[in-house]
Amino acid sequence: MKSAEVRQEEQLRFAEYMRAVAEQRDKRAFEKLFDHFVPLLRSFSLAAQPGASLLADEVAQEVMIKVWQKAHTYNKEMANVTTWIFTLARNSRIDYLRKNSRHESDIDPTNLWGEIVDENSDPFQAAQQKRSEELISKQLKGLPEDQQNALRKVYLEGKTHKQVAEELKLPLGTVKSRVRLALRKLAISIPR
Amino acid sequence: MLKHHPSSELLADYASGSMPLSHSLCIATHLEQCDICRQQAHKLNQLGAQFFMQQSSTATSADNDLKAKVMGCLDEIVFSTDESASDTPKRTAASNKVDSYKPPKALKQFLDDSYDSLEWTTVSPSFKITTLLKDKNGAQIALSRVKPGGKMPHHRHTADELTVVLEGSFSDEGGIYKKGDFICRDSKHKHKPVVTKDAECICLMVLDAPIEFTGWFTRVLNPLVRRNHAQS
């Protein structure tokens, strides 16, 4: 596992590549992003659809083309590059899944997940987002493995709590409380 | 400030894209009104990114093929210009809009700029309903519109129901719900919502489970169906 400093440097480098793509349409910088993210994008697709390597190719290609097209809308104050690309990947996957059996639906997802754009960034928010990023990455390591595992299945495999419960042969309530406890420790819960 | 929010688990299902799109529609509608939940959703994206980057991944030869393909077409791809330009609402002075409501962006697929453009079914003098979509997974997406002080027909939920208040406010045994509030009721719940007297109330409602929902829906429409029969 990479240390926090190494990861931060990596993110700064990615942000530089993004800038080069946005301002100079720098293909070398784009290639660097491609080399880092395409294997991750492929794993992400295969986690939800094991064996579907053509689909994995399509999603990876679509996301990387969006990176090239939308680089100028990326704002490092709003999110780091990995978070930005994760949301692009998630959105692509949702669109592909709704067109086949898993989440078959006539609902157009375009308006449901806003892309992270520079809409209301202010210095306070930028600082806050950086803090929460650090907190989440630090606290995540301290979570019990069963809680991490439940979240990982939800995020990477795109499973509902019910599907996770069935797969792990656990009561639904157990899975829900693992997710709930984990989110609370990561300070992602709504004050009531 | 809004008082009724989706739980953090629901927000996580939204951020991960693991919930049905019908539910995501309700969450997205709530997020448009709720800063707090938008911030939570952003944190949940950051969490997703953590899992995303922790994945084991090895470059394969397929990556090189894909790279050649993508790099080869970059020059033909134009930078997408600001989407909001093509996205500008079609709201013009000529629009024959009577209400001053601004429907949420999340519902853009179903209505452009006015709730009046929809075909409403009058269920009772104070209660109208319109179905936006019966989705492939059986979910039913509907809007309800109740006059000030009006009651919604008593109903027992036979499946989970998500409600987001789009305009006005209503109350039931659980409290008062205002514009933007998000309510999730399970099938055990029986409630008697009443709209506050100051304004009409429009809600987005999403119900799961087709067969059970039909039961609920016919019960709502029963009075209407009976009346129509009596007239014929």
Side-chain angles (χ1 to χ4, degrees), chain A residues 34-69:
Chain A
F34 191 102
D35 291 341
H36 180 83
F37 284 105
V38 162
L40 290 171
L41 289 166
R42 210 186 282 279
S43 301
F44 179 66
S45 291
L46 291 172
Q49 304 261 285
S53 55
L54 278 177
L55 178 86
D57 256 20
E58 263 182 82
V59 170
Q61 178 177 341
E62 188 180 291
V63 170
M64 290 316 294
I65 285 176
K66 276 193 190 151
V67 169
W68 178 256
Q69 273 182 318

Side-chain angles (χ1 to χ4, degrees), chain A:
Chain A
M1 179 136 329
K2 291 168 189 165
S3 74
E5 292 77 36
V6 171
R7 268 207 322 270
Q8 260 182 9
E9 271 172 38
E10 198 175 41
Q11 290 300 333
L12 289 175
R13 214 163 53 240
F14 292 154
E16 271 307 302
Y17 295 149
M18 287 295 295
R19 201 185 48 77
V21 171
E23 290 172 9
Q24 291 134 33
R25 309 191 85 178
D26 184 333
K27 285 186 188 164
R28 291 289 297 277
F30 180 75
E31 228 180 314
K32 299 270 190 203
L33 293 168
F34 191 102
D35 291 341
H36 180 83
F37 284 105
V38 162
L40 290 171
L41 289 166
R42 210 186 282 279
S43 301
F44 179 66
S45 291
L46 291 172
Q49 304 261 285
S53 55
L54 278 177
L55 178 86
D57 256 20
E58 263 182 82
V59 170
Q61 178 177 341
E62 188 180 291
V63 170
M64 290 316 294
I65 285 176
K66 276 193 190 151
V67 169
W68 178 256
Q69 273 182 318
K70 292 172 184 265
H72 63 289
T73 68
Y74 170 73
N75 175 353
K76 66 177 182 195
E77 306 294 320
M78 298 294 293
N80 70 29
V81 177
T82 304
T83 302
W84 188 67
I85 291 185
F86 163 73
T87 60
L88 295 181
R90 175 203 59 199
N91 294 358
S92 282
R93 183 159 90 180
I94 289 165
D95 209 29
Y96 275 102
L97 287 182
R98 87 176 172 113
K99 290 170 184 158
N100 69 44
S101 58
R102 179 96 156 257
H103 277 180
E104 205 176 339
S105 173
D106 289 323
I107 298 171
D108 178 2
T110 321
N111 299 313
L112 305 190
W113 282 269
E115 279 164 15
I116 301 172
V117 286
D118 183 11
E119 47 181 8
N120 44 9
S121 89
D122 59 60
F124 172 71
Q125 222 179 1
Q128 209 179 28
Q129 84 92 5
K130 212 170 163 56
R131 245 198 334 272
S132 75
E133 208 157 82
E134 280 158 20
L135 183 83
I136 287 168
S137 114
K138 205 173 109 205
Q139 300 281 84
L140 184 57
K141 284 179 218 140
L143 289 183
E145 186 47 42
D146 57 356
Q147 291 177 13
Q148 284 197 41
N149 195 31
L151 278 173
R152 197 177 292 122
K153 284 188 178 301
V154 168
Y155 271 105
L156 297 181
E157 298 172 22
K159 292 198 164 114
T160 63
H161 294 162
K162 204 170 147 220
Q163 287 165 329
V164 175
E166 280 162 11
E167 191 191 312
L168 299 177
K169 298 192 171 56
L170 288 168
L172 180 59
T174 308
V175 172
K176 284 193 173 182
S177 71
R178 281 182 189 176
V179 170
R180 189 161 47 233
L181 282 170
L183 294 177
R184 203 174 295 159
K185 280 184 217 153
L186 297 169
I188 308 175
S189 52
I190 296 138
R192 289 181 196 262

Side-chain angles (χ1 to χ4, degrees), chain B residues 28-208:
Chain B
T29 304
H30 172 75
L31 290 186
E32 285 181 37
Q33 300 283 335
C34 184
D35 289 340
I36 299 171
C37 288
R38 267 209 306 280
Q39 274 171 28
Q40 299 299 326
H42 186 63
K43 285 189 194 175
L44 286 159
N45 288 340
Q46 294 175 330
L47 177 61
Q50 290 288 331
F51 287 115
F52 180 77
M53 70 175 131
Q54 280 175 12
Q55 295 179 106
S56 60
S57 64
T58 38
T60 63
S61 58
D63 294 343
N64 286 330
D65 296 345
L66 191 66
K67 185 149 96 180
K69 194 172 157 195
V70 171
M71 297 302 287
C73 68
L74 289 184
D75 286 329
E76 287 147 43
I77 299 164
V78 282
F79 267 101
S80 76
T81 44
D82 191 8
E83 268 165 30
S84 58
S86 60
D87 229 28
T88 39
K90 293 159 210 138
R91 224 159 285 158
T92 57
S95 119
N96 51 1
K97 202 163 141 66
V98 281
D99 58 46
S100 56
Y101 302 140
K102 197 171 168 237
K105 270 208 301 232
L107 295 181
K108 223 173 179 175
Q109 180 190 355
F110 306 106
L111 70 163
D112 257 354
D113 63 345
S114 167
Y115 294 113
D116 291 321
S117 61
L118 297 166
E119 267 183 49
W120 294 88
T121 303
T122 304
V123 177
S124 79
S126 59
F127 179 77
K128 285 188 221 174
I129 192 161
T130 184
T131 301
L132 299 179
L133 180 72
K134 287 175 188 164
D135 205 6
K136 286 180 183 144
N137 67 357
Q140 192 113 4
I141 296 145
L143 297 183
S144 64
R145 189 168 194 172
V146 186
K147 288 198 172 145
K151 288 190 181 85
M152 288 170 42
H154 293 195
H155 63 273
R156 194 204 302 270
H157 297 193
T158 51
D160 285 358
E161 179 183 295
L162 304 183
T163 303
V164 185
V165 183
L166 303 179
E167 294 295 340
S169 53
F170 76 87
S171 64
D172 69 6
E173 307 80 64
I176 179 156
Y177 309 94
K178 295 179 178 160
K179 180 173 176 168
D181 273 332
F182 177 99
I183 308 120
C184 179
R185 296 271 185 246
D186 64 22
S187 53
K188 284 162 234 128
H189 202 86
K190 192 177 174 182
H191 73 148
K192 295 186 256 183
V194 181
V195 167
T196 53
K197 292 203 170 77
D198 54 334
E200 71 168 335
C201 179
I202 303 177
C203 290
L204 168 68
M205 298 193 300
V206 169
L207 280 112
D208 296 333

